[in-house]
């Protein structure tokens, strides 16, 4: 590779890194994810997304107008063959505070879930409970997860197709008991950008042996659908995501979200301007006494 190619690659990576940092910064601002004095628990799975999230949070921490702490936390779920040394070694190179929390959720999931069935639901519940409890123990005020825009759109369709619910994955979430707040700083980031970023940064990625082997997962089918959409119509995933930020309850059908039962007719006020409102009646069998000025409807 010649000098010109190297310089071009460096320039492209710098643009990518700047875009990701900007997207994360905008998401944090838009949803007030991180505030003065926050202790952010960055949940590290060992995947590309959590590595990218931690890298970007540490970059923003240096230039942010507010002070906040970042603590890296990995939940070691005792998956067979999990390389336990990789994450501690990586955290040491960054010289940041970290915890490795041991919880054998792997055995529980393998015991409870029949072979071939989706493990993600139970696995995520067990993981969430452990992380919520640990966040309180260390005084973390925010729990940062590495979900990105693609994850959020995929979750929307998963809930629609397989749960009959119009429900997604919010950028910021308070737990049901109010004791924890979850944030997703990568909300505005596309997965394809994160893949490139991780490759360039050469993060020590650790594959998930529990769910990664289940190629028939429903999420994989949704991901394939979105990938095909992206090929045919670039920007469609972004459009779907933006629809989550632009909801019109009266244009849906949830009776609990909008009061469809009490929509009284009221013609007492001034009529709004209707497009193409003028029309002429050319034929009718209704007695003219039953209507007023039908010729000028």
């Amino acid at each position: 590779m010649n000098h010109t190619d190297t310089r071009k690659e460096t320039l492209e990576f710098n643009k990518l890194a700047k875009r990701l940092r900007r997207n994360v910064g905008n998401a944090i601002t838009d949803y007030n994810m991180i505030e003065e004095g926050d202790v952010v628990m960055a949940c590290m799975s060992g995947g590309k997304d959590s590595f990218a999230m931690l890298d970007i949070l540490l970059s923003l921490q240096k230039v942010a107008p507010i002070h906040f702490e970042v603590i890296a936390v990995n939940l070691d779920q005792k998956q067979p063959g999990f390389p336990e040394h990789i994450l501690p070694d990586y955290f040491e190179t960054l010289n940041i505070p970290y915890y490795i929390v041991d919880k054998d959720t792997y055995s529980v999931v393998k015991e409870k879930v029949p072979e071939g069935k989706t493990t993600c639901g139970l696995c995520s519940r067990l993981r969430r409970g452990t992380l919520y409890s640990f966040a309180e123990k260390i005084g973390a005020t925010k729990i940062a997860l590495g979900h990105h825009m693609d994850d959020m759109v995929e979750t929307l369709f998963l809930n629609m197709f397989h749960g009959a619910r119009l429900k997604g994955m919010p950028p910021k979430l308070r737990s049901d008991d109010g004791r924890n707040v979850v944030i997703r700083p990568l909300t505005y980031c596309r997965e394809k950008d994160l893949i490139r970023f991780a490759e360039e940064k050469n993060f020590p990625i650790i594959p998930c042996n529990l769910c990664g082997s289940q190629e028939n997962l429903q999420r994989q089918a949704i991901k394939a659908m979105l990938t095909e959409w992206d090929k045919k119509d670039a920007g469609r995933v972004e459009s779907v995501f933006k629809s989550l930020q632009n909801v019109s309850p009266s244009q849906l059908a949830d009776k609990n979200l909008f009061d469809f039962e009490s929509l009284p007719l009221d013609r007492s006020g001034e009529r709004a301007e209707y497009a193409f409102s003028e029309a002429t009646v050319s034929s009718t069998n209704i007695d003219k006494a039953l209507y007023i000025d039908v010729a000028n409807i």
Side-chain angles (χ1 to χ4, degrees), residues 106-117:
Y106 178 86
S107 297
V108 177
V109 170
K110 297 302 287 186
E111 177 186 348
K112 300 292 185 182
V113 180
E115 190 68 30
K117 296 295 184 179

Side-chain angles (χ1 to χ4, degrees), residues 5-291:
D5 291 338
T6 302
R7 184 179 178 184
K8 182 178 180 181
E9 285 193 2
T10 300
L11 180 61
E12 288 299 317
F13 173 73
N14 288 339
K15 289 170 60 178
L16 170 65
K18 184 177 180 180
R19 179 166 69 251
L20 288 172
R21 287 194 296 269
R22 181 175 64 249
N23 288 340
V24 171
N26 287 341
I28 290 173
T29 300
D30 288 350
Y31 294 97
N32 195 29
M33 291 184 182
I34 300 177
E35 302 168 81
E36 176 67 38
D38 266 340
V39 177
V40 180
M41 187 174 93
C43 297
M44 300 295 298
S45 66
K48 69 180 187 312
D49 303 324
S50 61
F51 274 115
M53 178 186 70
L54 178 63
D55 186 282
I56 296 169
L57 283 178
L58 293 175
S59 295
L60 293 177
Q61 184 187 37
K62 297 175 183 177
V63 298
I66 60 173
H67 169 77
F68 64 93
E69 297 180 43
V70 177
I71 300 176
V73 173
N74 167 250
L75 175 59
D76 185 346
Q77 298 174 268
K78 299 305 175 183
Q79 297 176 22
F82 185 82
E84 298 179 357
H85 66 285
I86 289 181
L87 286 172
D89 289 350
Y90 179 74
F91 297 147
E92 290 289 353
T93 64
L94 297 177
N95 192 30
I96 62 170
Y98 72 90
Y99 291 96
I100 305 297
V101 182
D102 295 335
K103 187 74 171 181
D104 188 3
T105 61
Y106 178 86
S107 297
V108 177
V109 170
K110 297 302 287 186
E111 177 186 348
K112 300 292 185 182
V113 180
E115 190 68 30
K117 296 295 184 179
T118 301
T119 60
C120 295
L122 177 58
C123 181
S124 63
R125 287 196 298 274
L126 294 173
R127 186 170 62 247
R128 180 167 58 246
T130 303
L131 292 173
Y132 278 9
S133 298
F134 191 71
E136 287 194 60
K137 288 181 180 180
I138 64 174
T141 54
K142 301 287 171 60
I143 300 174
L145 303 180
H147 298 122
H148 45 68
M149 184 184 294
D150 295 68
D151 288 326
M152 299 169 86
V153 173
E154 288 165 16
T155 300
L156 172 68
F157 284 109
L158 276 171
N159 285 324
M160 289 172 62
F161 294 169
H162 303 288
R165 300 183 69 185
L166 194 59
K167 175 185 175 183
M169 182 185 284
K172 186 178 181 181
L173 172 72
R174 190 178 71 165
S175 60
D176 292 339
D177 61 8
R179 300 179 69 88
N180 285 287
V181 173
V182 173
I183 60 174
R184 296 182 168 96
L186 301 182
T187 288
Y188 292 164
C189 300
R190 290 298 310 273
E191 183 175 26
K192 56 189 177 184
D193 286 341
L194 294 169
I195 291 173
R196 287 177 52 209
F197 186 73
E199 290 174 347
E200 291 292 333
K201 298 285 287 189
N202 197 27
F203 294 133
I205 307 297
I206 304 173
C208 176
N209 297 324
L210 186 60
C211 59
S213 61
Q214 295 177 295
E215 295 300 332
N216 61 336
L217 285 176
Q218 296 164 343
R219 184 175 288 274
Q220 296 301 321
I222 299 294
K223 186 182 290 289
M225 179 188 76
L226 295 178
T227 299
E228 189 64 25
W229 283 3
D230 243 355
K231 291 179 181 177
K232 293 182 178 179
D233 187 0
R236 186 177 291 188
V237 171
E238 285 87 348
S239 293
V240 174
F241 175 78
K242 287 178 181 177
S243 73
L244 296 174
Q245 300 175 300
N246 189 24
V247 178
S248 300
S250 65
Q251 306 303 302
L252 299 175
D254 190 335
K255 294 186 294 182
N256 295 318
L257 196 62
F258 186 81
D259 185 8
F260 291 99
E261 296 182 11
S262 303
L263 292 179
L265 186 67
D266 182 5
R267 290 175 173 164
S268 60
E270 185 176 346
R271 190 178 76 175
E273 289 293 330
Y274 298 145
F276 306 107
S277 62
E278 299 301 324
T280 300
V281 174
S282 61
S283 178
T284 182
N285 64 352
I286 299 176
D287 190 323
K288 287 186 177 182
L290 299 180
Y291 56 87

